[in-house]
Amino acid sequence: MKKLLLTIVAVATILSLSAQTQKHTEWKFSTKQTAHYLEKGHYHASVGHGSLEFVGKKATATVGVRKSYPAVEGARKGDYWLMSVPVEDIKAGTVVDIYLPFLAEPSDAPHAYAFEYLDGKEWKAVLPANKKGINCYSTTSAKWPRFLWHSVRLENSITKGYLQVRLRHMDKGVAKSTLYGGSSGNAPKIAILDDSKPADTARVLFIGNSYTYGNLYPMLLKELAWYEGHNLDCSIYIHGGYTMKQHLADHVSRETVEKGGYDYAFLQDQSLHSLRIGTSVDQNVVGYMGKMKANIVKHSPKAKCIIELTWGRKDGNNATKGKKLADLVNGYPEFFTSYNAMQQVITKNTTAMAQRLDMGLSPVGIAWDIVRRERPDIKLYTKDGSHPSYAGSYLAAAVGYLTLYPQPFKADTPIRLNPEVARYLRSVAERVVLK
């Protein structure tokens, strides 16, 4: 039966600078815009923008919004979510990095999917598939998604047209499927790299929260590594505000860890949790970090675990309201008097924790402090004075990359950032990590 386009639900935000080349192009599908397009009933985006579509064999599915996420009810086997981004002059052999989080209900058992991309006129599997074409499954959770993150190398060039990726339903009983994520970065994303062939590959795990998924800095780290000649095969599990204790209790987070085979693992605890260490409101911060390390090493014996040393709030007391932080704020107000006061405690305690647990350290907060003092014109924060701006995430990526590969940068890779600012941020990362 002829396929029916049910609706098109989003416009892509194109984040690129005119001075940069095609290889630094990235598309992020914003779910804020997704909700708007569903509510207004708009159809195909204008030329120059990407789109998210749901394509079905019969007009029986209902497309709508779950929270701010695009969702469909009543999908049938063979129906699929389709991401399309316009491209030009893509050479054969070009590598494309694809990030796609999704949920499926009911969640009492995993649902089967085919994760595919169009290469020439042929749909190919992003991951190795079985005889039925199945290569991924949803989580057994009604809240937390499966994070698909993989790279593919195109065998065919694209002179002018669309790069397309789809997630195809392979089960008959999916009541609802949802493309997960928010406009802050944790949303479907595609980045086009180039046709080079890195000399080595490392498997890297990221466990964290909103500081990790803001602008999806791990994807920037992977892209920096690519242009320095290294391939990173990455897995990720992220949830806003999560501590290591919460990650240990979350079965989807545990599943991600238990996949095993990792060479490195970046661990980012709740951003103010290190302030608790050694206080009367400690909550066993070091103990739970140690348990996470033990669980990772159990399933990846060769893995080097790395703690993320994060940054203080812009003015010390930003974004510290809430019941979860009340005991810390009320018990130790001196930590919140200024950025400097907060950063000193975060740096001291996180460094000591890494030494005590014999773990690596990604000293982003130390680099952050230098940039604040030397270049106040570079805005590292978003408006909330807590989460990273794009420049802040780029700095985190540069520090993280050098933590894995402690050699000076060779490539001039701005990645959708002013080239002069990018060079400066990389130089700060080098000063902190290498010297």
Side-chain angles (χ1 to χ4, degrees):
M1 180 177 291
K2 185 177 180 180
K3 293 183 179 179
L4 175 67
L5 176 63
L6 296 181
T7 188
I8 296 175
V9 299
V11 177
T13 300
I14 300 180
L15 302 175
S16 60
L17 296 175
S18 60
Q20 296 172 10
T21 62
Q22 182 69 41
K23 68 181 181 181
H24 299 312
T25 302
E26 171 197 275
W27 286 268
K28 180 180 73 176
F29 296 91
S30 166
T31 51
K32 273 189 176 179
Q33 294 166 325
T34 294
H36 170 77
Y37 268 66
L38 285 168
E39 291 166 2
K40 301 300 181 183
H42 291 185
Y43 285 86
H44 207 289
S46 61
V47 174
H49 294 95
S51 65
L52 289 173
E53 310 170 16
F54 188 80
V55 181
K57 294 180 180 178
K58 294 183 179 180
T60 55
T62 301
V63 180
V65 179
R66 170 179 170 157
K67 297 182 179 178
S68 63
Y69 315 143
V72 62
E73 295 184 0
R76 298 179 177 229
K77 184 177 181 180
D79 295 351
Y80 56 89
W81 289 102
L82 177 67
M83 294 191 291
S84 301
V85 293
V87 293
E88 292 182 354
D89 301 324
I90 302 297
K91 296 192 297 184
T94 294
V95 170
V96 178
D97 200 26
I98 307 165
Y99 177 79
L100 178 65
F102 75 100
L103 278 166
E105 299 178 38
S107 58
D108 53 345
H111 292 286
Y113 283 85
F115 189 28
E116 302 167 320
Y117 66 102
L118 189 63
D119 193 354
K121 296 182 179 180
E122 180 184 356
W123 284 101
K124 297 179 180 178
V126 173
L127 297 165
N130 63 20
K131 293 181 179 180
K132 296 181 180 180
I134 297 169
N135 61 2
C136 63
Y137 292 86
S138 64
T139 63
T140 52
S141 170
K143 294 183 178 180
W144 315 134
R146 177 74 68 204
F147 295 97
L148 298 175
W149 182 12
H150 299 278
S151 298
V152 297
R153 189 179 291 273
L154 301 176
E155 293 185 7
N156 296 276
S157 62
I158 306 175
T159 303
K160 186 173 184 179
Y162 286 86
L163 176 66
Q164 294 189 310
V165 177
R166 71 182 184 185
L167 186 67
R168 186 159 53 101
H169 290 259
M170 301 300 283
D171 280 345
K172 294 181 180 179
V174 181
K176 179 184 290 186
S177 70
T178 306
L179 294 188
Y180 190 85
S183 58
S184 62
N186 187 20
K189 184 182 287 190
I190 292 174
I192 298 174
L193 306 179
D194 65 11
D195 61 346
S196 61
K197 295 183 179 179
D200 53 68
T201 297
R203 292 200 64 212
V204 185
L205 171 67
F206 294 89
I207 297 289
N209 49 61
S210 60
Y211 277 19
T212 303
Y213 70 67
N215 305 301
L216 201 60
Y217 106 83
M219 202 167 182
L220 300 181
L221 195 164
K222 180 177 179 177
E223 196 166 349
L224 278 172
W226 179 268
Y227 291 108
E228 294 292 327
H230 307 285
N231 179 42
L232 301 184
D233 180 8
C234 300
S235 294
I236 191 168
Y237 188 79
I238 41 184
H239 186 277
Y242 255 28
T243 64
M244 286 300 114
K245 179 181 179 180
Q246 290 171 303
H247 274 295
L248 287 164
D250 187 312
H251 75 277
V252 183
S253 186
R254 293 198 309 272
E255 284 176 8
T256 307
V257 169
E258 291 167 5
K259 283 170 56 180
Y262 300 112
D263 299 301
Y264 301 96
F266 283 88
L267 306 178
Q268 193 251 305
D269 209 335
Q270 199 280 334
S271 58
L272 297 182
H273 226 40
S274 62
L275 295 176
R276 297 180 178 275
I277 297 174
T279 70
S280 61
V281 293
D282 191 320
Q283 297 184 358
N284 195 23
V285 174
V286 177
Y288 283 114
M289 182 64 77
K291 289 181 180 179
M292 177 60 79
K293 176 192 173 182
N295 197 32
I296 290 170
V297 173
K298 177 182 177 181
H299 298 281
S300 302
K302 297 181 179 180
K304 179 180 180 179
C305 294
I306 301 165
I307 299 177
E308 300 264 12
L309 193 167
T310 56
W311 51 89
R313 302 292 197 259
K314 185 178 180 180
D315 300 311
N317 62 351
N318 286 52
T320 54
K321 297 179 181 179
K323 294 180 180 179
K324 291 184 178 180
L325 296 171
D327 60 339
L328 179 62
V329 175
N330 295 333
Y332 297 87
E334 63 271 23
F335 294 167
F336 300 87
T337 57
S338 68
Y339 160 80
N340 288 330
M342 182 177 287
Q343 189 64 61
Q344 287 175 8
V345 179
I346 291 174
T347 299
K348 177 184 175 181
N349 288 355
T350 308
T351 303
M353 175 166 56
Q355 293 173 342
R356 177 177 171 182
L357 296 174
D358 191 25
M359 295 173 67
L361 189 72
S362 182
V364 180
I366 297 175
W368 199 280
D369 185 52
I370 292 173
V371 175
R372 277 183 55 119
R373 286 186 280 108
E374 292 184 349
R375 291 287 301 271
D377 59 300
I378 298 177
K379 307 301 180 184
L380 296 176
Y381 299 89
T382 57
K383 291 181 180 180
D384 68 4
S386 171
H387 290 87
S389 67
Y390 199 87
S393 294
Y394 184 90
L395 178 62
V399 172
Y401 167 77
L402 293 175
T403 303
L404 297 181
Y405 302 100
Q407 297 291 331
F409 285 101
K410 296 176 293 184
D412 188 15
T413 311
I415 312 181
R416 298 162 297 281
L417 192 65
N418 179 287
E420 182 276 325
V421 171
R423 281 191 292 271
Y424 168 73
L425 294 177
R426 292 197 302 274
S427 73
V428 172
E430 290 177 346
R431 286 154 56 188
V432 170
V433 179
L434 304 184
K435 300 179 182 180

